[in-house]
Amino acid sequence: MPNSKNLVFFVLFTILFLRFRVDSFHGTARISSVHIGAVLDLNSPMGAMIELCLSLALSDFYSIHSDYKTRLSIHTKSAEHELDVASAVLEMLKNEEVHGVLGPQWSKEATFVAELGARAQVPVISFTAKSRALSHSNSTYFVRTTPDDIYQVKSLAAICQGFDWQEVIVLYEDTEYGNIFFSKLYKAFQEINIHLSYISAISTSAEDVDLTKELNKTMEMYTKVFLVHMNIALGHRLFVLARNAGMMSEGYAWLMTDSLSNFLTSVDTSPMEGVLGLRPHVPQSKNLENFTAKWTRNAFFGKPAIMELNMYGLWAYDTVWALALAIERILPLNSDLPKSRQGELNISDISNLRVSQLGRRILTELLRTKFTGLSGEFHLVDGQLQPSAFEIFNVIGTGDRTVGYWTPDRGISKNVSSIGESTYSTSRNELRAIMWPGDTLVAPKAWGIPATRTLSVGVPHIKGGFPEFVNVQTDKSTNQSHATGFSIAIFRASLPLLPFKLNYEFLPYEDDNTTHNGSYNDMLVKLQDQEYDFVVGDVTILATRANIVDFTFPYTESGIVMVLKNKRSINMWIFLKPLRWDLWLTIVIACIIIGIVLRILEYEETTDTNTITWRQPREQPGLFCWFPIAILAFPERNMVANIWSRFLLVVWLFVAYILMQSYTAKLSAIFTVDQLHFGFSDDSYIGYQSGSFVKDYLINDLKFNESKLKDYTTIEEYHNAMTLGSVKGGIDVIYGELPYMKLLMHKYPSQYMIRGQPNKTYGDGFGFAFPKGSPLVIHFSRAILNVTQSTNLTKIEHDNFGAGYPSNQDLKINPDNPNLEAYNFGGLFIILGSSTIIALFFSKTSVGRNITSMVSKYGRKCSTFLFRAKDHESNPTNQAKGSPSEAVNESQNNTNISNTNVEAVPSPEPSTDQGEANESEPTNTDVISSGLVEIQLSESRNVETPAEPNK
């Protein structure tokens, strides 16, 4: 084998020597040689690989461009540590008069070398460094022929966005390069709201025990997406340990950067099966195939520790070509290279470095160089290589498969070609099928609850009031807590709607301090300290609380409302309320007085035969009691005959009209306006819930005096205080959160009302609280929306608050009496119904008719007695005579007149039973006389009047 190697090198040397001699023999112009230094760790596999790429690049370039008049002469120095690198560069600048430096191999060494290049004015060209901290803008003579990591970070963000991964765990190597990469990653993910739930910086010298410890920490977390950025040696060990821990199974997603993917050909990739990786895209070409074959042949005869060809070797190859093209353009034919300015160089005195006269020109031409190399388009912008695309690949077995591409202008796509739409895409549909860990084609959801873990759910234990929302009972024998209430019911109804199974247990929070802002703020601080996984209860969503925890969507209405006590209670006797008792009594007395006056006026009736009165007061003395009321319902002209009676009735109707209108207006006010009036002054006291943030709202926003505020905990305390009022040591108004106040109004219907619209400045309803960035927030929010927008919410409310709970009520007025109902006028209808029943009883039943006849009989006797007494008083002559014959004559005359007017009245037939007829005769006469009393009295007057002039 050694003889074969020597033979190959001898043949190559002979060919190159003969070609050089031939060119010289034909008299070609003298070739100018430009010295370039290269600093590599030749003892490392990567250093050996790059050295071979540099050598092949020189031979390939000048074999194609044999007519070029310049030649690069690369002086390679081996250096393993930073001090060795600095010494090697200084030596090349001093002794070999290099006009450029290739390398160093690692980013941590590039900073010092870049400073040396700037002092000597020679370009330092790196094909491995990708940190923006080492850029052309920071150091003029520093050039990177690698793309900036910012593009890789954007491609990683696009992938996470496409798979809707909101949580990512980052594991990276704790080096300068790793820290700079992480800072870019954090910024890019923050811009698209992807949360880094856990970050672990792992030392490059970490042992397997340290790696296992970090993996165990992540196994207890919800997030199942891992992003790995570290060197190949450390990264490969990490994946082996992750596979042993069961973390390369279904439900997990792993991403790796090109710091790993560029070296996969050098390691066993079976522990990484299912991993999604990124690497710069290398377009396939004939030149690449030829170079790969040539490199393989030369590597076979090279150093045994050489690494497989990767992207860094291709970048080194293209860098040599770009440098050779640039040098050829700056040197004219037959020109001599300018000499460097001589100076005394002292290694310990870096400030006395020799300044290159060619370095600036090489740098200028290098930045302008464009060509198509093995790695793709070589184009430097701001001193760094512009990437064409990143390849997204999937590790399968011991190989990999390309599933898509990412480009800066088009995002994710199936093909690298730019043909088609130019819109930026982050859709995962643009990727081919991916085999994920666990041999599944289903994309992981990026979160998951460990099967062996039970989540601790914080609930308020000591809660003074409103147990309808949260009520926690602890079994002392088992120390198990059982929670009930509306908030707990919403939580349990949300669990079946989650896309995963949740194991949980309630952990009650106990706090004796229930003063300022209550114990909920303290409980949320415990949540921030990770003592709870999340908190369930009637926790109000506040802006101040949202700074330390994340809330779900609210499951109740929001806002602070003012609750007042109804001024008047509306009952069936409400129609009596508009007028006070003295006014009702005055109206009754006025009716009686007006009736008496009308009787007196109507008694002196005109003798005009054309005037017929409705009733004769002589025959119906009780008419004056209700006549003023009857005139309102029967306003016929002939109800009264006297002109002064009519005048009096006009006045009475005017007064009655005003009374009716006033009564109607006042009754309307009772149902509407009066319900909105309430007594509220500077002496009034205000109630609020004990330990609530409402106190801050009353003091800071509404500027109430703290001495006028009283705190309560239960609904009963609120009700008792409102019943007493401020005068008796209670309160006149309540300020509270809408869900609580609706419960108060539900328990005491028709007694309270909400005034005005809810103030939503403070609070946004009740919600569940989670630690900042918890992936459970979005899933619980979606589940809560489904619960609150379904019919199941009504059942939950009725189960916890009782039937009839006002889910959708008008907040401006009392929802229990929005309109007038029959009940509001129940008393009036009772009176009317009672009157109807009484009238039917006395007119349609035998008992009622007998009672009516008896009362009528005694009424007529009383009337006859009164009128006879009055006639005797007015006619002393008749009183002195007292002749019964006159009475008989008067009766006969009345009978004749009656017979004259009632011609068609038939005579009653005699009864077959003579005894009964004789016995009932007086009664029948009385009945006939009573039935025709109106017409008889009226006609008798009309008959007697014409006879007066003949006397």
Side-chain angles (χ1 to χ4, degrees), residues 884-946:
S885 61
E886 293 180 1
V888 172
N889 293 334
E890 184 179 358
S891 177
Q892 291 176 352
N893 292 335
N894 292 337
T895 303
N896 294 332
I897 294 171
S898 177
N899 292 333
T900 303
N901 289 279
V902 188
E903 298 177 354
V905 176
S907 300
E909 296 181 1
S911 174
T912 56
D913 191 347
Q914 187 66 29
E916 291 180 5
N918 295 333
E919 187 178 0
S920 62
E921 182 178 355
T923 304
N924 293 336
T925 304
D926 293 339
V927 170
I928 295 173
S929 175
S930 177
L932 303 175
V933 64
E934 290 185 55
I935 302 176
Q936 290 173 357
L937 292 176
S938 179
E939 292 297 332
S940 65
R941 286 179 177 271
N942 294 335
V943 171
E944 293 175 356
T945 301

Side-chain angles (χ1 to χ4, degrees), residues 52 56 59-60 63 288-300 317:
L52 180 56
L56 293 177
S59 62
D60 289 346
S63 64
L288 179 60
E289 294 178 3
N290 295 335
F291 172 75
T292 303
K294 184 185 298 184
W295 189 92
T296 304
R297 291 193 301 269
N298 285 272
F300 180 76
Y317 184 94

Side-chain angles (χ1 to χ4, degrees), residues 26 36 44 80 118 257 269 385 392 397 422 488 554 660 670 721 768 913:
H26 287 287
I36 299 295
S44 66
E80 297 181 5
T257 64
T269 59
L385 184 66
I392 306 172
S422 60
I488 305 300
M660 286 188 295
I670 291 176
F768 303 151
D913 191 347

Side-chain angles (χ1 to χ4, degrees), residues 580-595:
R580 211 171 67 168
W581 65 270
D582 55 345
L583 181 55
W584 282 116
L585 181 61
T586 303
I587 292 175
V588 173
I589 295 174
C591 289
I592 296 174
I593 294 175
I594 291 174

Side-chain angles (χ1 to χ4, degrees), residues 817-872:
N817 293 286
N819 299 310
L820 298 181
E821 301 174 356
Y823 174 80
N824 304 140
F825 295 95
L828 192 61
F829 286 112
I830 288 174
I831 293 175
L832 180 60
S834 301
S835 301
T836 302
I837 293 173
I838 291 172
L840 291 173
F841 174 79
F842 284 105
S843 63
K844 297 297 182 182
T845 63
S846 59
V847 176
R849 285 196 297 267
N850 291 336
I851 295 175
T852 304
S853 176
M854 185 181 301
V855 173
S856 177
K857 177 179 178 181
Y858 285 107
R860 283 196 307 275
K861 288 182 180 181
C862 292
S863 177
T864 302
F865 175 79
L866 291 176
F867 277 97
R868 283 179 179 177
K870 189 171 183 64
D871 289 341
H872 287 298

Side-chain angles (χ1 to χ4, degrees), residues 29-94:
R30 184 164 56 92
I31 296 176
S32 301
S33 180
V34 178
H35 299 282
I36 299 295
V39 183
L40 302 171
D41 183 5
L42 299 179
N43 295 323
S44 66
M46 184 173 178
M49 182 267 297
I50 293 178
E51 181 188 24
L52 180 56
C53 290
L54 295 178
S55 176
L56 293 177
L58 284 176
S59 62
D60 289 346
F61 183 83
Y62 289 114
S63 64
I64 296 174
H65 304 90
S66 59
D67 56 336
Y68 277 23
K69 305 304 184 290
T70 57
R71 292 291 186 272
L72 290 181
S73 177
I74 299 179
H75 303 269
T76 303
K77 293 287 185 180
S78 179
E80 297 181 5
H81 305 290
E82 295 183 20
L83 292 178
D84 296 336
V85 171
S87 299
V89 173
L90 285 172
E91 184 180 353
M92 287 188 293
L93 291 175
K94 173 186 175 183

Side-chain angles (χ1 to χ4, degrees), residues 455-523:
L455 301 184
S456 58
V457 180
V459 289
H461 191 194
I462 300 177
K463 195 170 184 294
F466 299 97
E468 294 84 356
F469 286 92
V470 179
N471 187 22
V472 180
Q473 301 292 333
T474 303
D475 188 350
K476 296 182 179 180
S477 59
T478 61
N479 201 27
Q480 295 293 324
S481 297
H482 179 68
T484 58
F486 177 72
S487 300
I488 305 300
I490 292 292
F491 166 69
R492 290 198 171 105
S494 302
L495 294 179
L497 302 178
L498 298 176
F500 51 86
K501 184 179 179 180
L502 191 69
N503 298 323
Y504 67 93
E505 64 176 352
F506 290 119
L507 294 181
Y509 172 75
E510 300 182 6
D511 183 16
D512 296 333
N513 179 21
T514 58
T515 56
H516 185 69
N517 281 346
S519 61
Y520 275 175
N521 282 352
D522 300 330
M523 184 166 61

